[in-house]
Amino acid sequence: FNGERGEVWRLNVESTKEISRFCKDKKKSIIFLSTECVFDGNKEYFSEKARKNPLNWYGVTKSEAEKVIIKSGAKSTILRSVVTYHKNDKGKTIYGKILKSLKRNEVVYAVDDQKFTPTHTEDIVLALKKILSANLLGIYHVAPSKSISPYDFARIVAKANSFPLSRIKKKKLVKFYDKTRAEIRLKNASLSSKSSNKKLGFISKNPEEVL
């Protein structure tokens, strides 16, 4: 960890600053993909206008990148989503990792004392299409309405793929990681997308609908 001299800062903040300057100079719009990690997880849901207060360094860099974009004066759209997943991801997202373990006959341990709104990647693609076609600016949230735990999500994955639910076991956040890493995880990693749904003209799907 090297703070503002580190790779994460350079990638998320400095690179964004340069791109924003370019867009401002060339009168082009910028779309920035952000995260729920700009918040602190101390409330059930976070709206587009909620106060940012990141718990971890990744969240800090994404929050700073948002500030850089707005300060640049470029026409901008910030799109926030939560942990993304896709059914054909070959083990790269939370869905694929759970499914891979189930296919290996492994027991899957998942956190049950954390809430999140996992976002289907196709909903992000749809949101981007809407934003581009209508030249929408501002901050948008793309996330399903239902907040669930990773444990709940793992059970949905198991059920959708005909694996016994008994293979999914609960684990507390502090046990799944450790005390230090658990403290920088959002207890409530859930975005409210009610306002964005109206502007974008669609509602993001809950995992049960997708899977």
Side-chain angles (χ1 to χ4, degrees), residues 21 33 42 47-48 54 75 86 99 114 120 125 145 148 157 166-167 170 173 175 186 195:
R21 286 173 179 167
L33 300 181
N42 287 331
S47 72
E48 296 84 349
K75 292 181 179 179
H86 190 75
L99 185 57
Q114 180 190 41
H120 190 215
V125 172
S145 59
I148 62 176
V157 174
S166 59
R167 298 263 299 281
K170 296 179 180 180
L173 191 65
K175 295 290 186 181
L186 280 67
S195 176

Side-chain angles (χ1 to χ4, degrees), residues 1-17 57-58 60-65 68:
F1 175 75
N2 293 311
E4 294 183 14
R5 293 174 297 173
E7 184 177 354
V8 177
W9 180 272
R10 292 198 303 272
L11 179 63
N12 287 342
V13 183
E14 296 300 334
S15 296
T16 302
K17 185 181 294 184
W57 184 243
Y58 171 70
V60 168
T61 62
K62 296 295 273 191
S63 178
E64 288 300 314
V68 161

Side-chain angles (χ1 to χ4, degrees), residues 159-175:
K159 184 177 180 180
N161 290 279
S162 302
F163 287 100
L165 297 183
S166 59
R167 298 263 299 281
I168 309 298
K169 304 294 185 183
K170 296 179 180 180
K171 207 162 193 178
K172 298 302 179 186
L173 191 65
V174 71
K175 295 290 186 181

Side-chain angles (χ1 to χ4, degrees), residues 13 21 31-32 40 42 48 50 58 93 114 137 144 178 190 204:
V13 183
R21 286 173 179 167
I31 299 176
F32 182 72
D40 58 17
N42 287 331
E48 296 84 349
Y58 171 70
T93 71
Q114 180 190 41
L137 304 176
D178 56 51
S190 301
S204 298

